[in-house]
Amino acid sequence: MNISALPERGLARKPFGRTTDGVPVDLYTLTNSNAMQAAITNYGGTVVTLIVPDRQGRPADVVLGYESLDGYLADSPYFGSIIGRYGNRIGKGRFTLDGKEYTLAQNDNDNHLHGGIKGFDKAVWQAKGSLAGKDPTLVLTYLSKDGEEGYQGNLAVTVRYVLTDDNELVIHYEATTDKPTPVNLTNHSYFNLAGQGAGDILGHELMINADRFTPVDEGLIPTGELRSVTGTPMDFRKPTAIGARINRDDEQLCFGGGYDHNWVLNKRGREMSLAARVYEPSSGRMMEVFTTEPGIQLYCGNFLDGSLVGKASKVYEHRYGLCLETQHFPDSPSKPNFPSTIVKPDEKYSTTTMYKFSIK
Ligand code: BGC
């Protein structure tokens, strides 16, 4: 690659379009010293592009998405977005807290998924780019009002994206509330380390640092069991191609249409630890996911079917991207044995996840 063509470290902003209500949104491009770039819009806090070099130094965009806001407004299965107030499902859109039952928006059959009909992925966030610290940073804030999608409490949310010179995209999530509420924030990027639109992700080799997973029922709601991965297609403790066992006759894979499950990470507490590692052999790109969260959802684009056309006119076919969503476990508000997701007025919600890129 022509060295003089490398983009300079910095932060740039340009218009990205207007919402259907006419609200203008922007695209912020963070560039580090190695020409790695993350372009993020304040519509949904969405990671629109992520440019990462391969083992020859050739850059490619490794996330699925759209070139302009219109694509996201028209139809997006949460490509790259911040998910909230609650990542993944809450069964029947109902939970009980302090003896009172709450009813949430049902947007996935009779379940509540990814925050409801208008989750944080569809909100326009206040944005502030900064180069003042060591690394290019985008700070996004959003006030989720009391009653939004059925949740009580005004929830003030801050998400900070930082791109470091060690090729890490770090995401800090913070929130405070004035009434007790479940909170479970994540990012829904669909990765393809060979480059977006380049094919399916079945050849990606995956390691998940987890001895157990949370099995689900046919509606993808956890049963409450923490089940050992031993002897199942869920055992990714040793790096294994995602496609190696995906067609096995297995009840869990059948319910998910492939992998669409939460793993219980091996860790002591809330420390930042390695959750997963993905390697794509043809490009040599590797991504490691570190998090303070107790769980991670692997979703393999099982619902992509070639009907969405994304950046550079790429058609997103079945399993063209994989999501590794760091999180608390789905349906925790109704599962007393899962780590609690309830945030109280005198507490601060604070989690960090880092996607670190390298080559092998
Ligand atoms: C969920 C899938 C869902 C997808 C939406 C994933 O996080 O686990 O079940 O269909 O998001 O794109």
Side-chain angles (χ1 to χ4, degrees):
M1 175 179 186
N2 179 358
I3 297 297
S4 63
L6 286 181
E8 263 180 43
R9 180 179 179 278
L11 193 129
R13 177 170 73 132
K14 64 176 186 191
F16 194 53
R18 278 176 191 274
T19 66
T20 41
D21 302 331
V23 181
V25 304
D26 290 322
L27 187 69
Y28 294 79
T29 303
L30 285 60
T31 307
N32 75 2
S33 302
N34 314 313
M36 182 177 158
Q37 279 189 323
I40 300 161
T41 171
N42 61 318
Y43 177 77
T46 302
V47 178
V48 172
T49 56
L50 194 60
I51 310 283
V52 181
D54 69 3
R55 66 162 82 82
Q56 259 86 48
R58 288 176 307 212
D61 184 355
V62 299
V63 292
L64 277 54
Y66 296 112
E67 249 140 46
S68 77
L69 181 64
D70 292 343
Y72 293 93
L73 295 175
D75 192 3
S76 172
Y78 307 94
F79 284 144
S81 302
I82 295 169
I83 303 296
R85 197 175 286 203
Y86 198 95
N88 215 283
R89 292 177 177 77
I90 296 179
K92 309 249 185 293
R94 276 202 308 260
F95 65 95
T96 304
L97 175 59
D98 299 331
K100 193 177 159 203
E101 185 170 280
Y102 292 87
T103 306
L104 305 171
Q106 294 170 323
N107 61 326
D108 179 69
N109 302 316
D110 58 353
N111 298 319
H112 177 85
L113 173 66
H114 293 333
I117 295 158
K118 187 170 185 241
F120 293 3
D121 58 295
K122 294 176 189 71
V124 177
W125 296 60
Q126 297 299 313
K128 201 165 178 292
S130 159
L131 261 181
K134 203 167 90 21
D135 303 304
T137 298
L138 180 66
V139 183
L140 299 168
T141 53
Y142 173 62
L143 177 66
S144 168
K145 297 251 176 69
D146 191 2
E148 195 179 272
E149 302 297 309
Y151 292 101
Q152 74 164 1
N154 290 294
L155 188 76
V157 189
T158 302
V159 174
R160 240 174 331 132
Y161 283 104
V162 182
L163 183 63
T164 76
D165 279 343
D166 293 324
N167 289 0
E168 300 154 343
L169 181 65
V170 188
I171 316 179
H172 299 284
Y173 303 88
E174 284 178 1
T176 52
T177 179
D178 55 9
K179 287 181 192 159
T181 175
V183 183
N184 190 27
L185 306 178
T186 192
N187 176 276
H188 208 291
S189 287
Y190 288 65
F191 297 96
N192 187 322
L193 298 185
Q196 65 102 16
D200 66 47
I201 47 74
L202 297 178
H204 284 49
E205 294 165 13
L206 174 67
M207 186 284 294
I208 302 180
N209 182 16
D211 295 338
R212 294 172 299 170
F213 73 107
T214 52
V216 291
D217 64 16
E218 49 275 82
L220 297 181
I221 304 299
T223 60
E225 182 189 349
L226 308 181
R227 187 180 291 173
S228 167
V229 296
T230 305
T232 77
M234 306 291 163
D235 191 348
F236 282 99
R237 289 173 294 188
K238 291 203 189 81
T240 308
I242 291 175
R245 300 163 302 188
I246 207 164
N247 293 322
R248 244 193 223 174
D249 183 17
D250 173 272
E251 186 186 60
Q252 286 298 311
L253 289 177
C254 183
F255 287 161
Y259 294 106
D260 190 354
H261 294 80
N262 171 72
W263 273 256
V264 180
L265 295 172
N266 295 335
K267 63 198 299 175
R268 283 185 303 278
R270 295 173 48 87
E271 76 279 10
M272 188 82 169
S273 62
L274 179 66
R277 183 184 292 125
V278 202
Y279 173 64
E280 198 286 303
S282 71
S283 65
R285 286 191 189 88
M286 183 149 90
M287 179 176 83
E288 290 172 305
V289 186
F290 294 82
T291 189
T292 59
E293 290 278 28
I296 196 165
Q297 183 87 11
L298 168 66
Y299 168 64
C300 290
N302 306 323
F303 297 112
L304 295 176
D305 60 4
S307 59
L308 300 178
V309 181
K311 293 173 286 184
S313 304
K314 300 285 187 190
V315 177
Y316 298 144
E317 305 281 359
H318 194 214
R319 300 194 174 133
Y320 263 38
L322 69 98
C323 304
L324 283 165
E325 303 153 63
T326 55
Q327 60 184 11
H328 272 57
F329 312 161
D331 203 32
S332 293
S334 302
K335 296 285 178 324
N337 60 321
F338 286 180
S340 171
T341 52
I342 305 301
V343 180
K344 301 195 176 111
D346 55 354
E347 297 170 351
K348 186 173 197 171
Y349 174 95
S350 174
T351 71
T352 300
T353 290
M354 173 169 101
Y355 296 95
K356 182 179 174 67
F357 292 87
S358 57
I359 45 168
K360 197 173 94 180

